[in-house]
Amino acid sequence: MKRIFYAGGSVVTGDRTADVVLRYAQALAQREASDVIDIPIFAEGGTSGRAQLLIGPSSQLLIATEVPRHTEFDDDTFLQQIEDKMESLLRPKGQPILEDDFGGADEGTADSDLPGFERPGGS
């Protein structure tokens, strides 16, 4: 179990959940983005509950190991959703290729000037 400390409070959650929250906060900070996430927690009295955290570039999270008082649990669906969000955030985005990126006719090179180029239809 781990305790996530944030501005004004803390929550106790599973090890894997705390680790993925920290990694996701870092990924969001790299992209200067933020998100609200809904995480599983251990509520007062040992019952399970949920907490919503706003994380992003200005998030200051501290995660510390907590003395286990309950059976460890993590929400596998939540973990997969956050992993998918991180992959999407960190994956390079494709950019459209413009004709100007390759020179083209504006720079004196037309397709018909290339060696071995033949227009369809034999012209």
Side-chain angles (χ1 to χ4, degrees):
M1 282 189 218
K2 292 186 178 177
R3 182 174 294 274
I4 301 174
F5 294 90
Y6 57 93
S10 68
V11 294
V12 176
T13 191
D15 288 353
R16 291 174 31 213
T17 298
D19 294 343
V20 81
V21 166
L22 189 61
R23 289 189 299 120
Y24 187 42
Q26 181 180 19
L28 286 166
Q30 290 173 352
R31 293 288 186 226
E32 297 185 15
S34 61
D35 195 7
V36 174
I37 57 173
D38 183 80
I39 67 169
I41 63 165
F42 292 103
E44 294 295 320
T47 61
S48 63
R50 309 287 299 183
Q52 291 74 43
L53 299 176
L54 171 62
I55 57 175
S58 62
S59 296
Q60 294 184 354
L61 302 176
L62 170 82
I63 297 180
T65 302
E66 182 80 2
V67 176
R69 294 188 183 116
H70 314 286
T71 304
E72 180 86 18
F73 77 90
D74 287 295
D75 180 339
D76 289 331
T77 302
F78 164 78
L79 293 171
Q80 187 59 54
Q81 288 171 345
I82 297 300
E83 291 288 348
D84 292 345
K85 286 181 175 189
M86 278 191 293
E87 182 181 335
S88 176
L89 263 176
L90 299 175
R91 182 178 347 160
K93 305 289 187 251
Q95 298 293 322
I97 298 174
L98 305 174
E99 186 176 315
D100 293 344
D101 293 341
F102 293 103
D106 290 340
E107 294 186 18
T109 306
D111 289 341
S112 59
D113 294 337
L114 298 173
F117 179 81
E118 290 185 31
R119 291 204 180 276
S123 51

